[in-house]
Amino acid sequence: METIEALIPAALQPDVDALVEVDPEELARYVLETSHPWWRREPCAAALAGRVPEAFVPALLDLVRDDGDVTEVRVALLGVLAHRAELLPWLRDPGSTTRSSFGLAEAILRARGLAGDLTAARPLATLAHDEWRRWRLLGEEGLDALLAHHGAEALAAEVGEERPEDRAFLVRLRHRRGGDVTDALADPDVRVAHLAHERVDDPDRLRRFLDRAPTTEASLWAACALHRLTGDRSEVRAIHRALGRPRVEVDGLPEDVRSAIVHAYVPRCTTRTDPRWRVEAICTVAPPRPHTSWSFRASTVLVGRAFIPRPPVPCGELHGSGGGTYDVIAYRGGAISVSSLGPFVSGEDHPAGPRRYLEAAGFRWIEEPLASLTVTGLCVYFFGDREPLPVRDLLFYWQD
């Protein structure tokens, strides 16, 4: 036991390479002793992969099924015991998960895949389509195991193609087997089409597809894929022009604000984003960056008008963690937020405030209704959500 504790001196600090050299019976005994810290038991359980002592299997399986034990330990054991046939009835039992056990349901689904349970194929396809990478990987691992157990035809037949996640699985499967996924660019679900545009790998095939693309969206996804493969903006611009330069119209959104948002967020938008935004970012020129920051420029205006500004404070520092796209400048009588995306400021507007001086210097004051205007179709991660955001949250973005 002293050896194990020396190899795991603190939480999240296991010596993984050394643990796999520890006698498996010693590891199993440590895992089964529930008085030990869970953060030591978990890596010990993982270190049993491929070498679980047979005499300890029944007790370890009981631990997996024990709702009173720590989820992290149970999940780690699932990773090394999922192939045990005696565990399958419990894995299939809907009552085997509890609402409070974070991550257990997903681990059980993966384990069903590892055990060859074909009835888990559809829920695994759903998990593999999850927007959280940690769950998506578990779903893909489970599906890969089912593929090895049952073959592509049986697995594809079980999953079907009715739901978007089913079709996303078929795109991944077809691509993995060397097939053409270009037609999936026309899928009505934006995330399936996005997946296909990441997988297509033949520029000439994409160009042929453009001649028969059934929808504008399909053509735009083909253009995005061409740009990914060739880096040729001129070809994308020609496609965009031939399509009539489609874009997502957001009534009331000024062009300078739109341009700043497009070039700041399209490179990191989520898979739900309308392809019109993606092509617009390729076809348009990003706003020029000033030699000095916008916060510095705003501070200069405040200094010139005797507002006595304090140094700009980055939003992450202001909130105590994280980061984002704005600084806060406190001054005598108030404070303003200055976006790093362009000459955009916001704050409390009062007669003696700096608004008129900032606007005279070229800044745009962001206020209602513009601040609350949602930029539709452009999906950005924001505190767990991936929905379109209002202008306020895009120009003055903070993420912990």
Side-chain angles (χ1 to χ4, degrees):
M1 300 305 178
E2 291 180 2
T3 300
I4 289 175
E5 291 172 357
L7 295 178
I8 314 172
L12 304 178
Q13 294 182 16
D15 187 337
V16 176
D17 293 335
L19 279 174
V20 298
E21 300 297 328
V22 175
D23 180 74
E25 292 192 2
E26 183 179 353
L27 290 173
R29 279 192 288 270
Y30 196 94
V31 172
L32 290 169
E33 179 49 68
T34 58
S35 64
H36 292 314
W38 71 266
W39 46 265
R40 284 196 172 112
R41 296 170 63 220
E42 178 189 19
C44 288
L48 286 169
R51 59 194 193 111
V52 179
E54 193 65 28
F56 288 82
V57 167
L60 292 172
L61 289 176
D62 286 342
L63 202 59
V64 170
R65 295 183 286 245
D66 182 1
D67 288 340
D69 204 352
V70 179
T71 299
E72 286 83 354
V73 176
R74 299 170 70 196
V75 167
L77 284 174
L78 271 174
V80 302
L81 293 170
H83 63 285
R84 303 293 302 204
E86 57 266 49
L87 190 60
L88 190 55
W90 179 81
L91 293 174
R92 284 178 168 172
D93 182 359
S96 61
T97 61
T98 60
R99 187 172 299 177
S100 60
S101 298
F102 178 78
L104 183 61
E106 293 80 5
I108 285 176
L109 262 181
R110 172 184 177 272
R112 288 174 62 188
L114 297 179
D117 179 10
L118 191 58
T119 65
R122 283 173 63 81
L124 277 169
T126 299
L127 190 61
H129 199 53
D130 198 283
E131 291 181 285
W132 288 101
R133 184 174 182 272
R134 65 184 300 179
W135 306 139
R136 188 166 64 247
L137 291 178
L138 292 181
E140 291 175 357
E141 289 171 5
L143 288 170
D144 287 346
L146 288 179
L147 181 63
H149 276 284
H150 301 284
E153 291 185 8
L155 184 55
E158 181 69 22
V159 171
E161 56 183 54
E162 177 183 355
R163 306 171 303 164
E165 54 262 51
D166 302 334
R167 300 192 298 276
F169 162 72
L170 294 177
V171 167
R172 288 192 296 270
L173 179 62
R174 197 185 322 156
H175 179 261
R176 180 172 175 171
R177 302 179 74 194
D180 177 22
V181 299
T182 309
D183 286 348
L185 296 171
D187 195 282
D189 184 86
V190 66
R191 294 188 60 215
V192 176
H194 178 273
L195 177 67
H197 113 279
E198 289 186 320
R199 297 296 194 275
V200 291
D201 51 16
D202 187 333
D204 290 333
R205 185 175 286 160
L206 282 166
R207 295 182 183 106
R208 291 193 295 272
F209 174 80
L210 281 165
D211 294 333
R212 57 181 175 81
T215 62
T216 296
E217 289 82 1
S219 296
L220 293 170
W221 282 118
C224 290
L226 275 170
H227 181 258
R228 176 178 61 81
L229 293 170
T230 70
D232 187 351
R233 291 177 182 268
S234 62
E235 183 174 22
V236 177
R237 290 189 182 105
I239 296 169
H240 194 226
R241 187 165 55 249
L243 293 171
R245 294 188 176 88
R247 72 176 198 168
V248 178
E249 296 297 342
V250 183
D251 292 340
L253 183 63
E255 288 300 317
D256 60 335
V257 177
R258 181 187 184 105
S259 179
I261 288 172
V262 165
H263 289 280
Y265 288 99
V266 167
R268 56 191 177 107
C269 64
T270 73
T271 56
R272 301 183 193 183
T273 294
D274 191 306
R276 290 166 176 80
W277 287 115
R278 298 178 185 276
V279 173
E280 181 175 338
I282 296 169
C283 293
T284 58
V285 178
R289 303 292 295 180
H291 295 299
T292 56
S293 72
W294 295 113
S295 292
F296 179 85
R297 292 189 173 197
S299 293
T300 301
V301 173
L302 296 180
V303 168
R305 294 295 176 172
F307 282 98
I308 314 178
R310 295 177 184 172
V313 179
C315 59
E317 183 179 334
L318 183 74
H319 289 284
S321 63
T325 65
Y326 71 98
D327 297 334
V328 173
I329 302 175
Y331 62 87
R332 185 177 61 186
I336 57 170
S337 295
V338 183
S339 177
S340 62
L341 305 186
F344 312 118
V345 297
S346 70
E348 184 180 351
D349 186 19
H350 51 87
R355 174 174 178 171
R356 63 186 183 277
Y357 304 115
L358 288 164
E359 288 180 333
F363 284 87
R364 180 187 288 277
W365 194 272
I366 304 300
E367 61 183 343
E368 301 296 347
L370 175 59
S372 297
L373 180 66
T374 297
V375 182
T376 54
L378 179 59
C379 300
V380 177
Y381 179 84
F382 191 59
F383 288 97
D385 292 327
R386 294 171 173 82
E387 300 295 335
L389 296 174
V391 167
R392 176 192 299 106
D393 288 336
L394 292 168
L395 294 183
F396 307 103
Y397 182 95
W398 170 69
Q399 178 66 56
D400 192 359

